Amino acid sequence: MKKIILLIAAAWTMNVAQAQDSTAVTPAASSFNLGSWMKQNQIFQNLDLSVTAGTTGIGIDVASKIGDYVQLRAGYEFMPRFSMSIFFPIEVGGQPAKLYDEDGNRIESRFDRLSKALTQVTGYEVQDEVEMIGKPTVNNFKFLVDVFPFKQNRHWHFTAGFYWGPSQFAYAENSTQAMMSLLAVGMYNQLHYKITNNLAVYDGATPDILKEKKAVFEEYGRMGFPLGQYTHDVYGYYPRTEYGKYGKVIHEAGEYGLLHSKGDTYMMEPDVDGMVKVSARSNPFKPYLGFGYGGRLLKNRDDWHVSFDAGAMFWGGTPDLITHDGTNLTQDIENASGKVGDWIDLLGGIKVYPVLSVRFTKTLF
């Protein structure tokens, strides 16, 4: 009997131990392994390094896949610096610097007479046009998502994402050779303002000889670069006043006086530092949509690829062309003529920037 009881007890103990072993959960089995999960779902299991070149500049990016159909890309691009010349013709009181008779012969203009006088006073020859040097300043960070929709053809991809960078994408200012002409123009306009407004030219007094020339100054008018007509009334401080404040476009009167009425000619004049400047700007955040095609770069190598992309970068409306006096040439001015007008129409009309690029890729792992 004692033996039977001992056998039953031993059997029960073994059953309990087996039950405990079957229900026990080790810590390793209960924890979540992120690395294993990402590997199982093919997330960030590769890394590609690329060099790019195209209409947005040159740059680099890195990419990694998420599953079989999606790839994330991030990188940086910038436009190599180069310059282009734009020439701004000078006018005096609304009259072009160059005048011709009916036979096409050059005749003396107000500018001709003024330039002679300014050369005598300043010792520098005043040119009838000023050279502006335009330079691109494009540089952007980009984040893009490539989708490969065709299971049997992984060459094609569609892309969505954004570019982000400084709002200024181009800049123009006068050349060094034009600086002497601009200084002379600024001196004449300062003199014109003071004489026609009966203000002291220097030391609290206006010389009699200049007082006698007031009618001549009023007849000639100011000197500058005509860039079209104002689309609205302009309020602000008059350029180069005795307070040293430069004119600025203000859309509401407020405490400022009326400078120009709608339809008046906008004459760009040198700033207080004797310079003329224009800054081209767009939204810093620019969405992107596009598509591309890629494949092996080398026939027997799977780690080198090349792809071509085409798409559109959305600038968020008409870009701004802001001059040094605050005038927006794409919003405040219309009917700009000549080559300057062509540049304003070109840059102001690019609401969607075309993106064409080629990408050379090396798979690191």
Side-chain angles (χ1 to χ4, degrees):
M1 187 68 177
K2 184 187 257 185
K3 291 182 180 180
I4 295 175
I5 294 173
L6 290 174
L7 288 174
I8 293 174
W12 180 82
T13 302
M14 292 177 62
N15 288 335
V16 171
Q18 290 176 356
Q20 289 178 345
D21 290 341
S22 64
T23 58
V25 179
T26 61
S30 63
S31 63
F32 175 72
N33 191 314
L34 178 62
S36 298
W37 179 83
M38 293 177 64
K39 185 175 182 179
Q40 181 180 357
N41 291 275
Q42 300 181 36
I43 298 176
F44 300 141
Q45 297 304 297
N46 76 301
L47 182 65
D48 292 343
L49 177 65
S50 302
V51 176
T52 63
T55 56
T56 53
I58 60 176
I60 60 172
D61 64 41
V62 293
S64 189
K65 291 181 180 179
I66 298 180
D68 293 329
Y69 299 97
V70 178
Q71 175 178 260
L72 301 184
R73 277 195 284 146
Y76 175 80
E77 293 180 340
F78 73 97
M79 185 69 69
R81 298 296 182 257
F82 62 90
S83 60
M84 299 182 64
S85 294
I86 310 170
F87 291 90
F88 286 61
I90 292 180
E91 287 190 2
V92 180
Q95 184 185 88
K98 296 179 180 180
L99 290 181
Y100 301 89
D101 60 19
E102 296 178 354
D103 298 325
N105 299 315
R106 177 72 185 273
I107 59 177
E108 189 178 50
S109 64
R110 294 175 183 171
F111 173 81
D112 294 329
R113 294 190 290 271
L114 280 177
S115 64
K116 292 177 182 178
L118 290 171
T119 300
Q120 293 175 356
V121 173
T122 65
Y124 298 101
E125 182 179 357
V126 182
Q127 304 295 324
D128 56 17
E129 62 182 7
V130 168
E131 181 184 22
M132 297 281 289
I133 305 296
K135 302 177 182 179
T137 60
V138 178
N139 63 100
N140 290 293
F141 165 81
K142 64 180 180 182
F143 180 80
L144 305 173
V145 180
D146 298 320
V147 177
F148 300 84
F150 307 117
K151 186 175 183 179
Q152 303 302 325
N153 187 345
R154 296 305 174 88
H155 295 293
W156 290 98
H157 62 267
F158 295 92
T159 304
F162 65 87
Y163 285 74
W164 181 84
S167 60
Q168 178 179 287
F169 63 87
Y171 180 77
E173 65 181 10
N174 58 270
S175 64
T176 304
Q177 292 82 357
M179 188 167 293
M180 293 300 100
S181 292
L182 291 172
L183 289 174
V185 171
M187 291 173 61
Y188 167 78
N189 286 336
Q190 177 77 336
L191 197 60
H192 179 279
Y193 173 77
K194 290 187 173 182
I195 296 300
T196 55
N197 287 276
N198 298 314
L199 299 174
V201 176
Y202 66 93
D203 291 338
T206 301
D208 293 337
I209 184 65
L210 293 179
K211 290 181 178 179
E212 296 173 0
K213 298 296 182 180
K214 178 179 178 180
V216 176
F217 278 94
E218 290 176 336
E219 177 187 354
Y220 276 25
R222 297 178 69 85
M223 187 182 295
F225 317 98
L227 296 181
Q229 287 77 45
Y230 286 104
T231 59
H232 56 83
D233 292 341
V234 176
Y235 301 88
Y237 291 107
Y238 201 84
R240 295 184 177 276
T241 68
E242 66 272 28
Y243 303 105
K245 297 176 180 178
Y246 200 88
K248 185 178 181 181
V249 173
I250 306 294
H251 292 269
E252 297 181 1
E255 61 178 308
Y256 303 94
L258 177 65
L259 294 182
H260 302 282
S261 299
K262 178 180 178 180
D264 287 349
T265 298
Y266 167 58
M267 294 284 287
M268 186 171 69
E269 300 178 8
D271 202 349
V272 291
D273 58 0
M275 302 281 286
V276 288
K277 309 166 189 174
V278 181
S279 174
R281 306 173 188 172
S282 66
N283 284 345
F285 181 83
K286 299 167 280 286
Y288 171 83
L289 289 175
F291 65 94
Y293 182 89
R296 288 181 178 176
L297 178 62
L298 303 174
K299 185 176 181 180
N300 299 320
R301 296 284 298 272
D302 289 330
D303 58 339
W304 283 96
H305 294 82
V306 61
S307 61
F308 302 89
D309 288 82
M313 182 192 300
F314 299 90
W315 280 2
T318 301
D320 296 321
L321 298 177
I322 310 295
T323 68
H324 53 270
D325 61 12
T327 303
N328 189 339
L329 299 179
T330 60
Q331 296 184 16
D332 301 325
I333 305 300
E334 60 185 358
N335 302 324
S337 60
K339 292 185 177 180
V340 175
D342 294 339
W343 278 105
I344 294 174
D345 293 339
L346 174 64
L347 292 176
I350 304 178
K351 298 178 177 63
V352 177
Y353 185 77
V355 177
L356 299 172
S357 65
V358 59
R359 187 168 80 251
F360 299 96
T361 303
K362 176 68 169 68
T363 298
L364 301 182
F365 63 85

